[in-house]
């Protein structure tokens, strides 16, 4: 892995912040990643990147999430501007969630992290197992 990193051109690496002068109490990276880094947020954003979903559909897609946690996570994503909630005046009323332009812009880099996780999950599990020995 080190050999691969050393072969990268410096321009290929993202600029790193000046940590000595970073205000961690007001860090925008921590502020945003705290909300999107949760296990439910990523799954819901991934689903909503495909198409809009109604609440019940999302609930069935993620069967191990409680209704309360689903509601809270959707509310957090809506508050941060990543998703839009639309209420339909049907009987009973129904609600549909969709991705906003801000959510789509977030999903571009997030999808790379998701793909990386899928591709490297076995390697990370092996590393954890070696560490425990």
């Amino acid at each position: 892995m080190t050999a691969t990193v050393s072969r990268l051109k410096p321009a290929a690496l993202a600029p790193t912040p000046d940590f000595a002068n970073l205000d961690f109490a007001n860090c925008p990276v921590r502020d945003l990643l705290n909300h999107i880094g949760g296990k439910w947020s990523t799954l819901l954003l991934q689903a909503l990147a495909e198409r809009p979903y109604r609440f019940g559909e999302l609930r069935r897609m993620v069967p191990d999430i409680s209704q309360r946690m689903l509601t809270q996570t959707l509310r957090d994503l809506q508050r941060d501007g990543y998703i839009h909630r639309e209420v339909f005046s049907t009987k009973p009323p129904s609600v549909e969630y969709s991705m906003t332009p801000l959510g789509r812009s977030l999903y571009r880099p997030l999808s790379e992290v998701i793909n990386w996780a899928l591709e490297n999950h076995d390697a990370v599990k092996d590393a954890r197992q070696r560490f425990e020995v």
Side-chain angles (χ1 to χ4, degrees):
M1 182 70 168
T2 306
T4 304
V5 172
S6 65
R7 283 184 277 162
L8 290 176
K9 296 178 185 176
L13 299 174
T16 56
D18 179 9
F19 284 104
N21 295 318
L22 203 60
D23 178 8
F24 285 101
N26 297 306
C27 178
V29 175
R30 286 173 52 183
D31 180 45
L32 295 181
L33 289 181
N34 278 341
H35 286 221
I36 61 169
K39 67 180 182 179
W40 304 121
S41 296
T42 304
L43 291 173
L44 294 172
L45 288 169
Q46 186 173 13
L48 292 169
E50 295 174 12
R51 67 175 181 85
Y53 281 98
R54 296 200 176 200
F55 184 88
E57 291 175 306
L58 290 170
R59 178 84 165 93
R60 287 187 293 279
M61 288 177 73
V62 188
D64 53 337
I65 189 172
S66 69
Q67 183 166 333
R68 180 181 174 277
M69 185 54 67
L70 176 59
T71 300
Q72 185 60 53
T73 304
L74 290 168
R75 193 170 286 147
D76 290 344
L77 293 171
Q78 181 185 2
R79 182 187 64 235
D80 287 350
Y82 304 129
I83 65 171
H84 172 73
R85 178 180 186 263
E86 186 171 355
V87 179
F88 295 95
S89 58
T90 57
K91 291 194 181 195
S94 59
V95 177
E96 183 177 81
Y97 295 89
S98 59
M99 190 82 80
T100 64
L102 182 63
R104 292 216 176 278
S105 72
L106 166 65
Y107 189 70
R108 279 195 278 301
L110 183 60
S111 67
E112 291 183 32
V113 173
I114 291 168
N115 288 332
W116 181 91
L118 292 170
E119 292 169 7
N120 293 285
H121 186 240
D122 289 339
V124 172
K125 283 176 36 179
D126 291 344
R128 289 175 183 165
Q129 200 168 29
R130 285 191 308 275
F131 181 82
E132 296 299 324
V133 174

